[in-house]
Amino acid sequence: MVIDNDKTLKIDPWGTIDIKDYSELFELFGIEPIDNVLEKITKPNRYLRRRIIFGHRELSKIIDAIEKNEEYAVMSGIKPTGALHLGSKMTAEEIIYFQSLSRKSKVFYAIADIEAYCDNGLPLDQTSEISVNNLADILALGLDPSRAYVYKQSEEIRVMNFALIFSRKVTKNTIEAIYGERPLGLYFSALVQAGDILLPQHADFDGPKPVLVPVGADQDPHIRLTRDIARKYSNEFKFILPSSIYHKLTRSLTGDFKMSKRDPMSLLTLEDSPEMAKKKVLNALTGGRETTTLQKKLGGEPEKCVAYELCLYHFCENDEKVKQIYQECIKGERICGDCKVEIAEIVANFLKVHQMKKSRLIETSRKLLDKK
Amino acid sequence: MVIDNDKTLKIDPWGTIDIKDYSELFELFGIEPIDNVLEKITKPNRYLRRRIIFGHRELSKIIDAIEKNEEYAVMSGIKPTGALHLGSKMTAEEIIYFQSLSRKSKVFYAIADIEAYCDNGLPLDQTSEISVNNLADILALGLDPSRAYVYKQSEEIRVMNFALIFSRKVTKNTIEAIYGERPLGLYFSALVQAGDILLPQHADFDGPKPVLVPVGADQDPHIRLTRDIARKYSNEFKFILPSSIYHKLTRSLTGDFKMSKRDPMSLLTLEDSPEMAKKKVLNALTGGRETTTLQKKLGGEPEKCVAYELCLYHFCENDEKVKQIYQECIKGERICGDCKVEIAEIVANFLKVHQMKKSRLIETSRKLLDKK
């Protein structure tokens, strides 16, 4: 996301991301601040409480469905190219959370194996194994498989049919206004994503219903395109415009928004051994001052600190604990070395427990993916 | 197809067709005259003998496969919007003929029901019934179902996956050079058609093999696009560039190349009752002179005559009979009224026999389509 001087905000789901100010999204694209609806949610999760989920479109449709005990869906997906990283963990936890709020919820989870083939050259038998692994992670995070429809892009013709149909009413002008001038292939992929987001409203899944799509702030173009399509086909398919929530983007351990798989030490994944994860955290960027003396005097800068972000976003459920770390840091009572040892321990413990749970869910995952 | 003064030939599969000179195709697009390979075909069918199939690309690949007793495929398809008309009959007879030349042949037949939905607003349950009907016609024309794979677009994900993959390497420049400036939806449909044509070479169907696509002269852009794609993905999928044959276009009964479903009297279909067909033929455009006297003096113009075209292209297997009609016509020995009565009888008889065969094949057709 790049903010130009002329106040046109370019959000680019396929490009480099440089988030300067999430609040611009409110102004320019009509995303609403999450605060507007937060009081209506009885037990907000970590991401909501801490405003890591900072914005939404029509989340009230989902809240209403929960209140009225009506059906709704929560939709997300993954490109199966390797171990699950923290961004995918965040999305997974969001769908799991919204699945848990009602027995009338259903999760739809797309595994974009054709994209993985096109973008990363991974053949389907290889992505098939990666998918089993990724889904086992998501099950270990708490997904209820009895109310989930998990599918591979290479096997779900209804999504492709939607994409082909939608291509007839999406003009080049519309798609260029949303994505900029792009190769055809990316336009086609965008239409397939719209098909994914609207699949929960397919007649085979009992037709129109509210659908929530949790995304990173950079993914809003897909939501806008899909809402535009849902509007254009509202007579034909009776689509309800999908709702969305927006979370802040996770930085790499070096503090960049651009993740690079070429530098594995800069990325934490759910498949890292607890020992490896510790090492990575100990190497992470902090918000520390140049010297210990200076840090004790001025305090640290937790906003800049990736180790603190790991707590705040990902691994520390206890709000009081996070506040304590923050306070101690800014008061200069916390020195980065010690702090990172503590946080590395939290991360390593999480992974230890998670990986144990996951090992028992590999077969469940395989069955869920093989059932078609 | 429009021939501009500047010798750029615009062939347009989606537009109005005005064929001025098929031989331009040889010059401009490298389509070869059928005569080049005709002597290698032992028993040419009606279309080949009469040069209704006038051109080809690499038909020798198919002839070689037949000679060497190697596998090859013949590929075509239909948009299931109503009764089979003479253009589809022609394509069907071509695939049936090339299927019959070897026991190593396999026919692939695509039923473009999503296109019928997009273009004609026909829902899938309706096109499903139309498809049963269309396929029964093709079986009655002689398709051997034991060596045919018939599929609906809405059910064949491998084609869609190909289309999505191909979209990554087809540039806007390439596709605009072939089709001109077009809406996105038509570009995607073109990629899906490329997927159809390359499906016989999918690993699930034993991979690379020669494939023959019989098309009307206006459909060459699809062949060029597909050959371009096959070339681009030759490393990845080992595609053999598909071969094609080109037939002249059938005119409506009023003599136009543009068929209009809004005027049912102008179109002969395989579902017309023999009586209705007779009426239509009797109303067809002829190459007759203004008066009988003039016709006896100057002779008729069979090249202009749709009734003669019905014999030559579609309903008269006997070459001598066709020659006789032609000779009698140009010598002024044949008067249009009588001639049309004779040809109407030939057409009505064909339909009577055809429809009887077909009635016994409806259930075979249904099973063939339902097996998935």
Side-chain angles (χ1 to χ4, degrees):
Chain A
M1 192 172 83
V2 180
I3 301 172
D4 290 338
N5 291 335
D6 64 355
K7 281 278 174 194
T8 56
L9 192 66
K10 290 190 191 120
I11 311 187
D12 181 354
W14 298 304
T16 308
I17 295 145
D18 182 14
I19 300 286
K20 294 259 170 51
D21 184 0
Y22 289 108
S23 69
E24 295 278 342
L25 286 166
F26 302 144
E27 256 179 63
L28 290 168
F29 293 115
I31 294 176
E32 290 178 68
I34 198 72
D35 297 21
N36 293 4
V37 290
L38 211 49
E39 60 181 18
K40 288 165 126 186
I41 299 176
T42 321
K43 286 185 185 171
N45 73 350
R46 182 170 88 244
Y47 298 124
L48 286 165
R49 290 196 310 269
R50 299 178 191 170
R51 308 295 192 276
I52 295 158
I53 297 172
F54 64 91
H56 74 101
R57 288 185 198 268
E58 297 195 285
L59 180 56
S60 53
K61 279 183 184 167
I62 303 297
I63 297 170
D64 286 353
I66 295 170
E67 276 175 7
K68 293 179 185 158
N69 201 31
E70 289 171 356
E71 287 193 2
Y72 65 95
V74 194
M75 200 282 142
S76 188
I78 195 174
K79 192 166 73 168
T81 56
L84 218 70
H85 56 64
L86 298 182
S88 306
K89 172 178 174 285
M90 197 188 294
T91 313
E93 286 178 319
E94 288 169 13
I95 61 168
I96 291 162
Y97 169 72
F98 280 97
Q99 183 191 43
S100 76
L101 294 182
S102 163
R103 297 199 59 80
K104 291 289 181 86
S105 64
K106 182 157 187 177
V107 162
F108 286 74
Y109 202 76
I111 295 176
D113 54 355
I114 300 285
E115 304 287 326
Y117 174 77
C118 291
D119 297 341
N120 310 78
L122 296 173
L124 295 188
D125 54 350
Q126 205 172 325
T127 46
S128 184
E129 278 310 299
I130 295 172
S131 305
V132 169
N133 211 357
N134 289 166
L135 181 58
D137 275 315
I138 296 167
L139 290 166
L141 291 170
L143 183 76
D144 176 355
S146 74
R147 289 205 317 281
Y149 177 67
V150 183
Y151 62 92
K152 293 178 190 166
Q153 193 175 50
S154 64
E155 295 174 351
E156 184 44 85
I157 186 107
R158 288 168 290 210
V159 167
M160 295 294 197
N161 290 344
F162 267 161
L164 187 55
I165 292 169
F166 298 160
S167 74
R168 296 303 180 98
K169 285 195 194 167
V170 174
T171 64
K172 266 178 263 186
N173 283 349
T174 302
I175 210 156
E176 276 188 26
I178 294 176
Y179 293 101
E181 174 87 15
R182 290 287 185 168
L184 273 186
L186 293 190
Y187 291 163
F188 206 175
S189 291
L191 291 170
V192 171
Q193 285 212 32
D196 283 323
I197 295 174
L198 293 168
L199 181 66
Q201 302 195 58
H202 192 285
D204 289 355
F205 296 103
D206 304 323
K209 60 180 71 62
V211 179
L212 178 65
V213 194
V215 291
D218 55 329
Q219 301 298 308
D220 188 52
H222 298 317
I223 303 293
R224 275 183 284 145
L225 174 68
T226 307
R227 286 172 60 92
D228 186 64
I229 288 170
R231 208 175 282 117
K232 279 190 175 128
Y233 287 86
S234 59
N235 275 334
E236 222 162 313
F237 297 111
K238 312 290 170 211
F239 287 139
I240 294 171
L241 265 58
S243 307
S244 48
I245 48 176
Y246 300 87
H247 55 242
K248 293 179 186 170
L249 299 176
T250 294
R251 288 181 294 166
S252 75
L253 297 174
T254 55
D256 299 320
F257 280 110
K258 184 169 176 155
M259 305 283 181
S260 166
K261 291 208 172 174
R262 274 176 296 181
D263 179 9
M265 281 307 284
S266 75
L267 274 182
L268 212 54
T269 84
L270 295 190
E271 292 181 29
D272 288 336
S273 70
E275 292 65 38
M276 176 55 75
K278 272 190 203 174
K279 269 187 212 157
K280 287 184 179 181
V281 175
L282 294 178
N283 277 313
L285 177 83
T286 69
R289 305 288 177 177
E290 283 173 29
T291 64
T292 307
T293 318
L294 213 54
Q295 176 129 354
K296 285 186 178 169
K297 190 176 156 200
L298 298 173
E301 297 179 285
E303 292 81 3
K304 291 184 181 171
C305 177
V306 172
Y308 174 70
E309 187 178 299
L310 289 175
C311 276
L312 178 69
Y313 283 31
H314 302 292
F315 294 105
C316 201
E317 198 54 58
N318 185 329
D319 291 348
E320 293 312 312
K321 177 72 193 170
V322 177
K323 276 181 199 156
Q324 184 200 332
I325 293 172
Y326 184 86
Q327 288 299 332
E328 289 174 5
C329 177
I330 58 168
K331 286 180 193 159
E333 294 165 8
R334 222 166 228 273
I335 298 308
C336 294
D338 298 343
C339 180
K340 288 207 283 190
V341 168
E342 187 184 345
I343 291 171
E345 202 60 43
I346 294 173
V347 172
N349 280 339
F350 173 90
L351 288 177
K352 211 162 121 188
V353 175
H354 174 80
Q355 289 168 5
M356 201 147 40
K357 282 187 207 162
K358 177 183 170 181
S359 67
R360 291 192 293 258
L361 289 161
I362 291 283
E363 284 318 302
T364 311
S365 170
R366 194 178 297 280
K367 271 182 210 155
L368 213 58
L369 285 167
D370 278 356
K371 75 180 168 201
K372 275 179 291 296
Chain B
M1 194 171 83
V2 180
I3 300 171
D4 289 339
N5 291 335
D6 64 354
K7 281 279 171 191
T8 57
L9 192 66
K10 289 187 189 123
I11 311 187
D12 180 352
W14 297 303
T16 308
I17 294 147
D18 182 13
I19 301 287
K20 294 259 170 51
D21 185 358
Y22 289 109
S23 69
E24 295 277 342
L25 286 166
F26 303 143
E27 257 179 62
L28 290 169
F29 292 115
I31 293 177
E32 290 178 68
I34 198 73
D35 297 19
N36 293 4
V37 290
L38 211 49
E39 60 182 19
K40 289 165 127 185
I41 300 176
T42 321
K43 286 185 184 172
N45 71 351
R46 182 171 86 245
Y47 299 123
L48 286 166
R49 290 196 310 269
R50 300 178 190 169
R51 307 297 192 275
I52 294 159
I53 297 172
F54 64 92
H56 75 100
R57 286 185 198 269
E58 297 195 286
L59 179 56
S60 53
K61 279 182 183 168
I62 303 297
I63 297 170
D64 286 354
I66 296 169
E67 277 175 6
K68 294 180 185 158
N69 201 30
E70 288 171 356
E71 286 193 3
Y72 66 95
V74 194
M75 199 282 142
S76 188
I78 196 174
K79 192 166 73 168
T81 56
L84 219 70
H85 56 65
L86 299 182
S88 306
K89 172 177 175 285
M90 198 188 293
T91 314
E93 286 178 319
E94 288 168 15
I95 60 169
I96 292 163
Y97 169 72
F98 280 96
Q99 183 191 43
S100 76
L101 295 182
S102 163
R103 297 200 60 80
K104 290 290 182 85
S105 64
K106 183 159 186 176
V107 161
F108 286 74
Y109 202 76
I111 293 176
D113 54 354
I114 300 285
E115 304 287 327
Y117 175 77
C118 291
D119 297 342
N120 309 79
L122 296 173
L124 294 188
D125 53 351
Q126 205 172 325
T127 46
S128 184
E129 278 311 301
I130 295 172
S131 306
V132 169
N133 212 356
N134 290 166
L135 181 57
D137 275 315
I138 296 167
L139 290 166
L141 291 170
L143 184 77
D144 176 356
S146 74
R147 291 204 317 280
Y149 176 67
V150 182
Y151 61 91
K152 294 178 191 166
Q153 193 176 52
S154 64
E155 295 174 351
E156 184 44 84
I157 186 111
R158 288 169 290 208
V159 166
M160 295 292 196
N161 290 344
F162 266 162
L164 187 54
I165 291 169
F166 298 160
S167 74
R168 296 303 180 96
K169 285 194 193 167
V170 173
T171 65
K172 266 178 266 185
N173 283 348
T174 302
I175 210 156
E176 276 187 26
I178 294 176
Y179 293 100
E181 175 85 15
R182 290 287 184 168
L184 273 186
L186 292 191
Y187 291 163
F188 291 149
S189 290
L191 291 170
V192 172
Q193 285 212 32
D196 284 322
I197 295 174
L198 294 167
L199 181 66
Q201 302 194 58
H202 192 286
D204 289 355
F205 297 102
D206 304 323
K209 62 180 68 61
V211 180
L212 177 65
V213 195
V215 291
D218 55 329
Q219 302 297 308
D220 188 53
H222 297 318
I223 303 294
R224 276 182 285 146
L225 175 68
T226 307
R227 286 171 61 91
D228 186 64
I229 288 171
R231 207 175 283 118
K232 279 189 175 130
Y233 287 86
S234 58
N235 276 333
E236 222 161 313
F237 297 111
K238 312 291 169 213
F239 287 138
I240 294 172
L241 266 57
S243 308
S244 48
I245 48 175
Y246 300 87
H247 54 242
K248 294 179 185 169
L249 300 176
T250 293
R251 289 180 294 166
S252 75
L253 297 174
T254 55
D256 298 319
F257 280 111
K258 184 167 179 158
M259 306 284 182
S260 167
K261 291 208 173 175
R262 273 177 296 180
D263 179 10
M265 280 308 282
S266 75
L267 273 182
L268 212 53
T269 84
L270 295 190
E271 292 181 29
D272 288 336
S273 69
E275 291 66 38
M276 176 55 74
K278 273 190 203 175
K279 270 188 210 156
K280 288 185 179 180
V281 175
L282 293 178
N283 277 313
L285 177 83
T286 69
R289 304 290 176 177
E290 282 172 29
T291 63
T292 306
T293 318
L294 213 55
Q295 176 130 354
K296 285 185 177 170
K297 188 177 159 200
L298 299 173
E301 297 178 286
E303 292 80 4
K304 291 185 181 169
C305 177
V306 172
Y308 175 70
E309 187 178 300
L310 288 176
C311 275
L312 179 68
Y313 283 31
H314 302 292
F315 294 105
C316 202
E317 197 55 57
N318 186 328
D319 290 348
E320 294 311 313
K321 177 74 194 169
V322 176
K323 275 181 200 158
Q324 185 199 334
I325 293 173
Y326 184 87
Q327 290 297 334
E328 289 174 4
C329 177
I330 58 168
K331 287 180 192 160
E333 295 165 6
R334 221 165 229 272
I335 297 309
C336 293
D338 298 342
C339 181
K340 287 207 283 190
V341 169
E342 187 184 344
I343 291 172
E345 201 60 43
I346 294 173
V347 173
N349 279 339
F350 174 90
L351 288 178
K352 210 162 124 187
V353 175
H354 174 80
Q355 288 168 5
M356 201 145 42
K357 284 188 207 162
K358 178 183 170 182
S359 67
R360 291 192 293 259
L361 289 160
I362 291 283
E363 284 317 303
T364 311
S365 169
R366 195 178 297 281
K367 271 182 208 154
L368 212 58
L369 285 166
D370 278 356
K371 74 179 171 202
K372 277 179 287 298

